[in-house]
Amino acid sequence: QVQLVESGGGLVQPGGSLRLSCAASGIAFSIVTMGWYRQAPGKQRELVASISRGYNINYADFVKGRFTISRDNAKNTAYLRMNDLRPEDTAVYYCHLQGTTRAYWGQGTQVTVSS
């Protein structure tokens, strides 16, 4: 079955950086669209960024210029590089995989931006 394993979250000071990773298994990774979502307490889950099989990339306006999504098909892994982190970026970040027939979610990784 499809599994998504996230890593890289943690506590960081404002202005700091983190890189999230999402390792996928059980699916032909190169043909899927990968995305990162986040959910802050009391708020709805929202799209942060996505990257298609053809490397078309979309970013939410609130992360443009600060976050970079990428993928390594040889490693079946998607990444989210987050720079210039702000307290409002604090949330649980979820990896999302859109397959041909259904979508899958990772377990989530906590990112906390605080001094």
Side-chain angles (χ1 to χ4, degrees), residues 36-40 44-48 62-63 66-67 88-94:
W36 289 95
Y37 286 71
R38 71 185 188 185
Q39 188 167 18
Q44 290 189 331
R45 192 172 298 189
E46 59 185 356
L47 175 67
V48 175
F62 53 78
V63 302
R66 300 189 298 126
F67 291 10
E88 55 264 38
D89 294 318
T90 295
V92 178
Y93 284 70
Y94 296 91

Side-chain angles (χ1 to χ4, degrees), residues 54-112:
Y55 292 84
N56 291 316
I57 292 174
N58 290 302
Y59 292 106
D61 287 343
F62 53 78
V63 302
K64 284 182 179 177
R66 300 189 298 126
F67 291 10
T68 302
I69 190 171
S70 61
R71 63 189 297 161
D72 185 338
N73 290 342
K75 295 182 178 179
N76 286 4
T77 301
Y79 304 95
L80 184 68
R81 176 68 179 182
M82 305 184 292
N83 295 328
D84 188 24
L85 283 161
R86 304 166 181 170
E88 55 264 38
D89 294 318
T90 295
V92 178
Y93 284 70
Y94 296 91
C95 176
H96 179 267
L97 184 154
Q98 181 62 57
T100 56
T101 58
R102 60 159 289 184
Y104 301 86
W105 292 94
Q107 80 281 4
T109 185
Q110 177 70 45
V111 172
T112 301

